[in-house]
Amino acid sequence: MTDDITTMEAPALPYADAVPGAVVGADEFGIIVNRDKLVEFALYLRNNEGFDYLSSLTAVDYLGFEGRTAEDRFEVVYHLFDTKKGGDGVVLKVRLPEDDPQLPSLIMVYPGADLQEREVYDFYGIRFNGHPRLRRIFLWEGFDGHPMRKDWKEAYYEAEHKPFKSRWPNGHYHWAEDRVPWGDNVKYPQGWDPNAFEPAPPPLPTIHDIPGEEIKTDRVIVNMGPQHPSTHGVFRMIVALDGETVVGLEPECGYLHRNHEKIGERNTWLGNIPFTDRLDYLSSMSNNFGYVLAVEQLMGEKGKPPERAEYLRVIMAELTRIANHMWSIGFLLNDLGAFFTPALYTIQEREMILDLFEEASGSRMMCNYMRFGGVRRDVDEDWLNRCRDLVHNRIPAKIDELDEYLTNNEILLARTKGVGYLSAEDAIALSVCGPMLRASGVPYDLRRSRPYSIYDRFEFDVVTDDGCDVYARYRVRMEEMRQSVRILKQALDDIPEGPVFKGKPGYVTRVAKGEAYGAVEGPKGELGFYVVSDGTDNPWRYHIRAPSYINLNALAPMCIGYKVADSVVILGAIDIVLGETDR
């Protein structure tokens, strides 16, 4: 394929002279790269320009989009950042024709591309040449087609966008599944016979030789999950064992997958907000926050929230961080064998925060609170005073209590110190984020590195620990709760009077044509939303950079050489939520 992009004159192209023939164009949002030079150009950016962190990798199908043809139907989009300097980073785009959707894998440059390339292959059918195990990751072998393509239709397809005419506004409808001539909501690939199908054996993990083993035993494959409670929901680890030692591990997800992103492209912009609640269902306020930030970029000045709304957003996000970390620490102890008692202590504190969420939003978990241009409802002075009491008195005392009982506990130390080692270099290479990254000694926090909202107004420390193990991850989460308390005290002291929403509430939101990437430092790490607009009421592309999913890149490297019981603790310390992992 010959790339012919003339969006900008050659002298103005960013990094045009770095790798001859690599940069073939640029648009307002990123650099367009020749796929044949992609690996070489990515190496240059990583080694010479400092872009050491691949945050997000996804694709867009531009079939039917104004100005696009079959020759540039697909676009693979990479967001690269510098963990040392921070800043806006750089966006790479590779355009592919519909009759040849393939390009080189970047897994050798950015190992964190692993799960993200497999996701794009599963949903779009784009091949990444050189990927060592390019196979479906969310869908099974009998699934027909690639569902994120614009010409893919499910068996009970009704309409491209919501609201469907059969459901709204009259409210009289028949289930589309009942109207289809074939009756059942199932469709197989051409030539596929489900009666003759024999499932392939489970994918065997790569086997590693562990030095120092004195007793050689038969190696066995053990399935942990998806029904096992220690796998934190419907998640499976295929573990190769030599005795009790893990010598190979392959993560398997998709058991909860419902194609959140396809649903998101049929929803209206506003209609997606309650769907974000259900990603990390323990952190709905943060989920709302990331999504509205992305869409507000496309809205320009009319999407800028009032001052009081900005403070309320930060207050809700930091309360969410505390609630999440309380839950995470409680269930880490659960994984260690302290069955439910520590978890119940931490859940009690989380309930106090959920009381505030319920009063502000009407819901304890699925808050649906933030809006483009502000928040849904204001809070009164009584709410603020009760929040102040929680922040000044109860929460700090409970953090200190947890610290006293757990931090120097000999059992916790024995089970977590030196377990699940992940160096700073490996954490960056694997695109790990959040407390996982900072517990490897990397001071990368979006609230400081790529400030958003009004976080640049607050004094707080980016918490790091160079232990690089499960214990360090516990310590980082413990100290991050204290820093959240510090931010909350400032926000509650400084919150101004005034409106909490800009403009007039409505059911339809129109945004400008274009694209945006909005990200927040969620409790589990970088939660990003990449959106593309064609100027209509519905997103053309809606993608979630899910920290629970991408952090799983590090699961196998952290488990190799440790005991099978350690793998449960290592997974627990990642702090995944399967609603966000599978989407």
Side-chain angles (χ1 to χ4, degrees):
M1 169 185 165
T2 302
D3 294 284
D4 184 20
I5 310 296
T6 56
T7 311
M8 300 176 64
E9 294 295 326
L13 295 178
Y15 309 108
D17 300 326
V19 177
V23 178
V24 295
D27 59 24
E28 185 181 350
F29 310 102
I31 303 168
I32 301 164
V33 181
N34 180 348
R35 63 177 168 182
D36 295 332
K37 299 285 187 175
L38 174 63
V39 173
E40 189 178 355
F41 188 56
L43 274 170
Y44 168 81
L45 292 177
R46 188 194 69 181
N47 297 340
N48 298 85
E49 300 295 336
F51 294 111
D52 55 353
Y53 190 78
L54 170 62
S55 171
S56 176
L57 188 167
T58 190
V60 186
D61 182 359
Y62 282 102
L63 179 67
F65 195 91
E66 183 181 359
R68 302 299 282 264
T69 68
E71 284 301 305
D72 57 1
R73 172 179 170 178
F74 297 106
E75 189 167 273
V76 181
V77 184
Y78 305 81
H79 287 84
L80 307 178
F81 296 98
D82 185 331
T83 58
K84 296 179 180 65
K85 296 180 182 177
D88 293 334
V90 65
V91 179
L92 306 185
K93 299 180 173 186
V94 179
R95 295 180 176 178
L96 305 171
E98 66 178 16
D99 60 353
D100 187 25
Q102 58 178 310
L103 72 166
S105 170
L106 281 190
I107 197 169
M108 299 304 293
V109 183
Y110 297 105
D114 184 0
L115 297 181
Q116 298 186 75
E117 288 183 349
R118 286 182 61 189
E119 180 182 354
V120 171
Y121 168 72
D122 198 353
F123 292 164
Y124 286 92
I126 295 172
R127 298 197 64 85
F128 292 87
N129 299 323
H131 192 290
R133 52 187 186 284
L134 193 64
R135 57 182 181 83
R136 305 200 98 141
I137 190 164
F138 291 109
L139 306 171
W140 71 303
E141 298 92 332
F143 189 87
D144 183 35
H146 302 282
M148 290 304 297
R149 290 190 175 194
K150 292 296 183 181
D151 54 359
W152 182 88
K153 303 291 187 291
E154 66 272 34
Y156 54 94
Y157 174 79
E158 183 172 356
E160 190 61 37
H161 293 134
K162 295 179 182 177
F164 297 150
K165 292 182 179 179
S166 65
R167 315 286 176 93
W168 179 89
N170 297 322
H172 303 295
Y173 63 86
H174 299 283
W175 291 110
E177 295 92 321
D178 295 336
R179 297 202 309 269
V180 295
W182 47 83
D184 295 326
N185 167 26
V186 65
K187 185 178 179 183
Y188 297 113
Q190 185 175 2
W192 178 274
D193 182 1
N195 296 316
F197 171 67
E198 293 185 7
L204 297 180
T206 303
I207 304 296
H208 298 259
D209 290 321
I210 307 299
E213 293 290 334
E214 297 179 359
I215 301 175
K216 293 299 179 183
T217 62
D218 292 337
R219 288 175 174 172
V220 296
I221 304 295
V222 175
N223 277 297
M224 297 182 62
Q227 76 287 345
H228 198 286
S230 70
T231 55
H232 289 246
V234 280
F235 176 73
R236 179 166 68 130
M237 295 189 293
I238 305 169
V239 185
L241 297 176
D242 189 336
E244 288 278 329
T245 303
V246 177
V247 294
L249 188 146
E250 179 77 11
E252 280 286 296
C253 50
Y255 296 96
L256 197 62
H257 175 68
R258 62 204 184 284
N259 211 336
H260 178 108
E261 295 183 7
K262 188 73 169 183
I263 295 170
E265 292 178 8
R266 290 182 175 174
N267 285 336
T268 61
W269 292 100
L270 183 65
N272 273 332
I273 294 176
F275 279 78
T276 67
D277 289 335
R278 287 143 176 89
L279 291 166
D280 178 355
Y281 39 76
L282 302 174
S283 307
S284 75
M285 289 288 194
S286 286
N287 303 345
N288 288 178
F289 202 178
Y291 176 60
V292 298
L293 284 177
V295 178
E296 284 169 356
Q297 291 181 43
L298 296 172
M299 296 176 68
E301 188 61 30
K302 70 177 183 178
K304 183 175 175 56
E307 280 286 291
R308 185 173 175 87
E310 292 276 28
Y311 276 85
L312 285 173
R313 286 181 175 186
V314 169
I315 289 168
M316 298 305 181
E318 294 309 313
L319 286 173
T320 297
R321 195 180 315 279
I322 294 171
N324 180 94
H325 287 355
M326 283 283 184
W327 184 281
S328 174
I329 289 170
F331 276 90
L332 176 65
L333 270 292
N334 211 52
D335 290 333
L336 286 167
F339 189 65
F340 260 106
T341 299
L344 289 172
Y345 272 85
T346 58
I347 288 171
Q348 185 178 21
E349 305 315 308
R350 177 174 173 268
E351 288 296 306
M352 301 293 175
I353 294 172
L354 297 192
D355 286 344
L356 294 175
F357 287 172
E358 183 177 23
E359 186 173 336
S361 71
S363 177
R364 299 181 73 78
M365 287 183 68
M366 310 305 171
C367 297
N368 188 20
Y369 181 65
M370 299 190 190
R371 293 291 184 272
F372 313 129
V375 297
R376 179 66 182 89
R377 295 181 180 89
D378 201 353
V379 297
D380 59 21
E381 193 61 29
D382 179 62
W383 188 98
L384 290 171
N385 285 332
R386 282 184 285 115
C387 187
R388 290 186 184 106
D389 180 60
L390 202 62
V391 167
H392 283 269
N393 300 312
R394 177 156 185 141
I395 291 176
K398 290 299 179 180
I399 295 171
D400 290 343
E401 186 179 84
L402 282 173
D403 200 353
E404 181 180 355
Y405 285 130
L406 299 179
T407 301
N408 294 312
N409 180 284
E410 61 181 326
I411 299 175
L412 186 141
L413 288 168
R415 292 294 312 280
T416 61
K417 273 274 198 183
V419 174
Y421 183 82
L422 184 69
S423 69
E425 295 75 17
D426 288 344
I428 293 170
L430 291 165
S431 301
V432 166
C433 59
M436 287 280 296
L437 180 61
R438 293 188 287 278
S440 290
V442 182
Y444 188 69
D445 184 317
L446 268 61
R447 295 171 295 175
R448 281 279 185 259
S449 301
R450 289 147 51 194
Y452 56 91
S453 185
I454 55 171
Y455 273 105
D456 55 355
R457 303 182 188 180
F458 302 113
E459 293 183 6
F460 66 97
D461 298 325
V462 175
V463 181
T464 61
D465 192 302
D466 59 5
C468 303
D469 55 13
V470 171
Y471 186 69
R473 290 156 211 152
Y474 155 78
R475 290 290 300 270
V476 165
R477 290 187 175 98
M478 188 71 79
E479 186 57 35
E480 281 192 357
M481 289 193 289
R482 291 193 170 99
Q483 295 302 319
S484 289
V485 167
R486 189 176 168 191
I487 294 170
L488 284 164
K489 287 178 179 178
Q490 297 171 69
L492 289 165
D493 285 345
D494 298 342
I495 185 170
E497 296 293 333
V500 297
F501 185 79
K502 185 175 185 178
K504 184 178 178 181
Y507 292 103
V508 176
T509 302
R510 281 286 176 94
V511 304
K513 186 176 179 180
E515 62 191 77
Y517 180 70
V520 294
E521 186 63 45
K524 294 172 175 62
E526 181 176 342
L527 173 64
F529 290 84
Y530 174 67
V531 292
V532 178
S533 169
D534 61 349
T536 64
D537 301 343
N538 308 81
W540 183 271
R541 180 72 175 104
Y542 166 77
H543 170 67
I544 301 101
R545 190 264 186 219
S548 289
Y549 177 64
I550 296 176
N551 280 349
L552 286 172
N553 278 315
L555 179 59
M558 289 192 299
C559 288
I560 303 302
Y562 295 96
K563 303 302 182 184
V564 63
D566 294 328
S567 67
V568 174
V569 182
I570 293 167
L571 176 65
I574 298 177
D575 188 24
I576 64 170
V577 162
L578 267 295
E580 182 179 84
T581 301
D582 282 7
R583 282 155 287 146

